[in-house]
Amino acid sequence: MKRQNNEHAFFRDNPHDQPTVVVVGAGFAGLAVAKALKRSRCTVMVLDRRNYHLFQPLLYQVATAALSPSDIAQPIRHILRNQRNTEVYMAEVEGIDLDRKRVIFDGGEGHYDYLVVACGARTTYFGNESWREHAPGLKDAQDALEIRQRLLLAFEDAEREADPKRRQDRLTFVVVGGGPTGVELAGAIMEIAAVTIPQDFRNVNTRAARVILVDAGDRLLRALPESLSHSAQEQLERLGVEVHLGHRVREISGGEITIGDNKVPTSNVIWAAGVEANELTGALDIERNRGGQVKVQSDLSIKDHPEVFVIGDAAQVVDDEGASVPGVAPAAIQMGKYVGRLIADEVRSGTRLSPENRKKFIYKDRGMMATIGKAKAVADLKHGIHLKGLLAWLAWSLVHVLVLVGFRSKVFVVIGWVWAYLMNTKGARIIHRSTSIHSARPETQLPDQDRSGQTA
């Protein structure tokens, strides 16, 4: 491979003339590709703007102070340290030149023989970008820490607020979106207010907190069977969560959210209503759906470029029945393993097949789960097996621990869960002051106290 003037140093000449496979993104899909190529006679280059892999299904637990970011993250280099044909680079990919087979990133560009785009997704506000400031989404560790700070600061502000109405405004939390993330967040916030912290505060009754879950659809968790959706709603409502279905959010400002025709005073809004593919997919200059996902072929490659694959949340994959493959971790892992094995087979044979001659990708749906709170969850394990309550929660916990990357992560998560379950506590309730958050906090007035120290 000849290096051009703007060729970055890590795209070195290949002394063995092996094909170069560039994987953009080290999420579930990208890591699965790299691992599937471990013994292949090719050079694998994994590029990611972060230096760590994040276990996104547990991000909500970081946001609600049950876990720390380090509990659900592992350095990418550490994960792939035993793969001698794989190199990892922290780089922001800015563009892709399909004709020249080059990846353009901060600092240069480099050649690929195979390209796998697994750049994931980001939060979408459906054209209402001004809402982003007031209603953070939950897609990465920084989002989770932002939400956690806002959540914990809300209780701190309520503790020192003398005016009852303003205190209740601070104790009102609105979660927008009735999918797994929204359901899990709403249940966890209610548990914090009602179970975890009541004894920690003197001037405010945290059990009086309102947690509102809003969704424009007619039921929660629409990917699950209807009976489990109803069970999830019942379990949330027993916790004290207010579920508002069939209502759209019309406006979000710094101190208020408009749901349908109703205005709810609150500064605590979390957005879990939708995602769109990472903006990098636009660099492929190929047909995408409304969510920015690339419409891939049956082998997950893109039209006219059998050497380029798009997988995970960045791809729209349609099964034989015309249904889209869901954007969940198991689907991303399956796509990654499929593409990795396909590339390995072609490298071994020395022949690149056309999409029509490749074995098509088939998604195996192994079910879906969502946790609601302590010993509260729903699980659809297929084959007619539907679990609710404690059994579903145990199944959810087991599956997530098994999929976690890294022995240390598994140990710390299990210890944290067991401790939280037995002691009704959250172990990561530390506030790291953020200038932007602190400056946005409302003015409060300390409650009057009599000489005994009790609030008047």
Side-chain angles (χ1 to χ4, degrees):
M1 180 177 65
K2 294 182 179 180
R3 186 183 304 167
Q4 297 190 8
N5 292 334
N6 58 350
E7 188 95 5
H8 198 278
F10 65 70
F11 279 83
R12 294 183 285 271
D13 293 331
N14 192 329
H16 304 294
D17 197 28
Q18 295 180 161
T20 298
V21 181
V22 176
V23 180
V24 180
F28 290 110
L31 279 184
V33 174
K35 290 179 178 180
L37 291 168
K38 182 177 182 178
R39 294 179 175 83
S40 177
R41 293 183 60 82
C42 61
T43 298
V44 182
M45 292 188 174
V46 178
L47 311 182
D48 198 292
R49 61 186 178 85
R50 303 176 302 203
N51 76 328
Y52 60 88
H53 166 78
L54 188 68
F55 191 79
Q56 286 191 333
L58 291 182
L59 260 181
Y60 86 95
Q61 295 214 4
V62 176
T64 54
L67 297 173
S68 295
S70 59
D71 295 333
I72 63 168
Q74 281 282 317
I76 302 167
R77 295 181 184 279
H78 182 75
I79 296 170
L80 300 174
R81 66 192 182 281
N82 294 324
Q83 295 194 199
R84 298 197 173 186
N85 68 337
T86 302
E87 300 183 25
V88 177
Y89 297 97
M90 185 175 174
E92 182 86 39
V93 176
E94 300 171 343
I96 297 167
D97 189 328
L98 294 174
D99 295 329
R100 296 169 57 228
K101 295 185 179 180
R102 305 189 74 77
V103 175
I104 303 161
F105 52 90
D106 52 336
E109 62 180 57
H111 168 82
Y112 64 81
D113 295 291
Y114 286 96
L115 173 65
V116 184
V117 178
C119 54
R122 61 179 182 173
T123 301
T124 178
Y125 292 82
F126 307 109
N128 301 290
E129 283 302 307
S130 63
W131 296 358
R132 190 179 296 272
E133 176 186 357
H134 309 298
L138 186 58
K139 290 304 294 180
D140 58 33
Q142 193 59 44
D143 291 338
L145 292 175
E146 172 92 359
I147 291 170
R148 186 170 78 185
Q149 290 183 63
R150 293 185 182 215
L151 173 64
L152 297 177
L153 282 173
F155 291 110
E156 294 293 337
D157 290 341
E159 172 78 353
R160 69 182 195 179
E161 178 56 68
D163 182 82
K165 181 181 181 302
R166 293 176 65 181
R167 183 189 302 138
Q168 189 58 59
D169 293 352
R170 295 303 292 158
L171 292 177
T172 299
F173 304 88
V174 179
V175 180
V176 183
T181 299
V183 167
E184 290 165 350
L185 278 169
I189 294 171
M190 194 73 247
E191 278 199 334
I192 289 174
V195 179
T196 305
I197 63 173
Q199 301 303 317
D200 295 352
F201 290 85
R202 299 291 181 266
N203 299 318
V204 62
N205 177 17
T206 63
R207 294 187 181 93
R210 290 182 69 194
V211 179
I212 303 171
L213 179 60
V214 184
D215 192 88
D218 57 357
R219 64 186 179 96
L220 303 175
L221 302 171
R222 289 187 291 275
L224 287 175
E226 193 167 344
S227 62
L228 292 181
S229 293
H230 293 323
S231 175
Q233 181 173 346
E234 290 171 0
Q235 293 181 63
L236 281 171
E237 290 174 341
R238 283 200 297 270
L239 273 176
V241 176
E242 302 174 29
V243 179
H244 294 231
L245 299 176
H247 296 281
R248 292 187 179 276
V249 173
R250 299 191 181 278
E251 186 59 53
I252 303 175
S253 64
E256 186 178 79
I257 181 171
T258 304
I259 304 170
D261 296 327
N262 298 319
K263 297 181 182 296
V264 179
T266 180
S267 299
N268 310 305
V269 181
I270 303 173
W271 189 265
V275 295
E276 62 182 1
N278 187 288
E279 63 269 22
L280 180 62
T281 58
L284 295 174
D285 192 25
I286 197 169
E287 186 180 6
R288 299 182 294 162
N289 63 15
R290 293 179 61 185
Q293 294 176 309
V294 174
K295 296 184 178 182
V296 297
Q297 302 185 92
S298 62
D299 64 340
L300 306 185
S301 69
I302 65 174
K303 186 178 180 181
D304 299 328
H305 291 277
E307 76 283 0
V308 179
F309 302 87
V310 182
I311 59 177
D313 290 340
Q316 181 187 34
V317 184
V318 180
D319 62 23
D320 291 337
E321 298 179 358
S324 293
V325 173
V328 293
I333 293 171
Q334 288 182 40
M335 291 182 207
K337 288 181 177 179
Y338 164 85
V339 169
R341 292 166 180 165
L342 187 156
I343 293 173
D345 289 343
E346 293 190 354
V347 169
R348 187 183 305 112
S349 67
T351 303
R352 177 177 293 159
L353 301 176
S354 65
E356 296 78 16
N357 293 323
R358 288 170 171 168
K359 181 180 179 181
K360 70 177 182 180
F361 171 74
I362 299 177
Y363 171 59
K364 297 179 180 178
D365 187 355
R366 294 187 172 91
M368 179 179 170
M369 304 176 178
T371 183
I372 295 159
K374 177 179 176 180
K376 297 178 178 64
V378 290
D380 174 19
L381 304 182
K382 299 304 175 183
H383 308 297
I385 301 176
H386 296 166
L387 302 179
K388 307 173 185 178
L390 177 60
L391 283 178
W393 184 81
L394 290 172
W396 179 92
S397 301
L398 177 63
V399 167
H400 283 71
V401 168
L402 289 176
V403 179
L404 263 176
V405 176
F407 176 76
R408 177 186 178 279
S409 294
K410 290 180 171 66
V411 170
F412 275 83
V413 168
V414 170
I415 291 173
W417 278 343
V418 171
W419 181 258
Y421 189 90
L422 294 176
M423 305 303 293
N424 286 325
T425 188
K426 306 284 187 182
R429 300 201 309 275
I430 305 300
I431 298 174
H432 296 281
R433 284 188 179 273
S434 165
T435 302
S436 61
I437 294 177
H438 182 61
S439 62
R441 294 174 69 189
E443 294 183 1
T444 55
Q445 179 179 349
L446 293 178
D448 293 331
Q449 293 185 328
D450 61 23
R451 293 181 181 178
S452 66
Q454 299 298 315
T455 303

